[in-house]
Amino acid sequence: MKRVLPVLVLSVAGLVPLWRYEPSTDTTSTTQAAPPAASPSASSSPGSAAGSSAQVVAGSTVKTEKGPVQVEVTFEGDRISAVRMLQQPNHPQTVAAVPKLVEETLEAQSADIDTVSGATVTSEGYKKSLQAALDANDTTAAASPSASASATSQVVAGSTVDTQKGPVQVEVTFEGDRISAVRMLQQPNHPQTVAAVPKLVEETLEAQSADIDTVSGATVTTDGYKESLQAALDAKGA
């Protein structure tokens, strides 16, 4: 009997630590339940972010007495978010008028804006080119999603053409299959070239190809321009 009592006492003593540590399992389950509280951060809809992607549309080139006028419009959905000039007359009145025309466009969200005093010709050309961009955006919006995707901007650089006057290279911006802008990456530093480039760009936007006339007095530059332009067109079609 004396041996049994010590055994019972030791058994009870061994159970006491186990009973004291049982609440620790409840504490662990409480801390594991905390992570779901972070889920509200994913409450924004991914569809709304995708719908707000920008679309850039170039208006038509409008010939005026002062020179060609062309605008490029950035749309966020149906809203005009930005306007920039691709071509404009090199006149003080035009330079002063453009910021006012852009400001009015962003306020009116249309081409129904006032003519800037002292820059009537530029204002009229601006509004015509702007309206053409608005019409093009409406047409794209009405088209199927696949057509809309094909109208996104793509920038392609043509090959560098070494000429007697220096290297010539163009960069072409496409809206779908349409040439919306051309800029020079490299060109000879000659007065004839400087004078010829705007004419070459204007003819390219009208012809929508490299089949354009040679600018008198700038034959070398023109040939280099057309070769680099054709390379960009070929790369776009590849």
Side-chain angles (χ1 to χ4, degrees):
M1 193 67 182
K2 290 180 180 180
R3 293 179 178 177
V4 172
L5 286 174
V7 172
L8 289 173
V9 171
L10 290 172
S11 300
V12 172
L15 290 172
V16 170
L18 295 174
W19 176 79
R20 286 181 178 177
Y21 282 98
E22 275 186 347
S24 65
T25 57
D26 293 337
T27 304
T28 303
S29 64
T30 302
T31 55
Q32 288 176 344
S39 60
S41 63
S43 61
S44 60
S45 170
S48 60
S52 61
S53 58
Q55 181 178 353
V56 181
V57 180
S60 58
T61 300
V62 180
K63 292 183 178 180
T64 73
E65 298 172 6
K66 303 293 184 181
V69 175
Q70 186 185 24
V71 305
E72 181 184 79
V73 185
T74 301
F75 295 92
E76 297 285 346
D78 293 331
R79 181 176 172 274
I80 301 172
S81 60
V83 181
R84 76 182 185 98
M85 303 300 292
L86 295 180
Q87 298 184 74
Q88 68 181 61
N90 186 21
H91 289 275
Q93 295 93 329
T94 296
V95 174
V98 166
K100 299 177 183 178
L101 292 168
V102 171
E103 181 181 356
E104 288 190 20
T105 302
L106 296 175
E107 288 181 1
Q109 289 293 303
S110 72
D112 186 15
I113 58 177
D114 294 332
T115 297
V116 176
S117 178
T120 303
V121 172
T122 296
S123 296
E124 293 302 322
Y126 173 95
K127 289 193 283 185
K128 286 181 182 179
S129 185
L130 174 62
Q131 187 60 58
L134 295 172
D135 293 343
N137 184 61
D138 290 342
T139 301
T140 301
S144 63
S146 59
S148 177
S150 66
T152 55
S153 296
Q154 181 180 358
V155 179
V156 180
S159 58
T160 300
V161 180
D162 291 325
T163 72
Q164 297 173 0
K165 303 293 185 180
V168 175
Q169 184 183 26
V170 304
E171 180 185 79
V172 185
T173 300
F174 297 92
E175 298 289 341
D177 292 329
R178 181 174 173 275
I179 301 172
S180 61
V182 181
R183 76 183 184 97
M184 302 300 292
L185 296 180
Q186 299 183 73
Q187 68 181 60
N189 186 21
H190 288 274
Q192 295 94 328
T193 296
V194 174
V197 166
K199 299 177 183 178
L200 292 169
V201 171
E202 181 182 354
E203 288 190 21
T204 302
L205 295 174
E206 289 182 1
Q208 289 294 302
S209 72
D211 185 16
I212 58 177
D213 295 332
T214 297
V215 176
S216 179
T219 303
V220 172
T221 296
T222 300
D223 289 341
Y225 173 95
K226 290 196 287 185
E227 186 176 338
S228 183
L229 174 61
Q230 187 60 57
L233 294 172
D234 293 343
K236 168 65 172 61

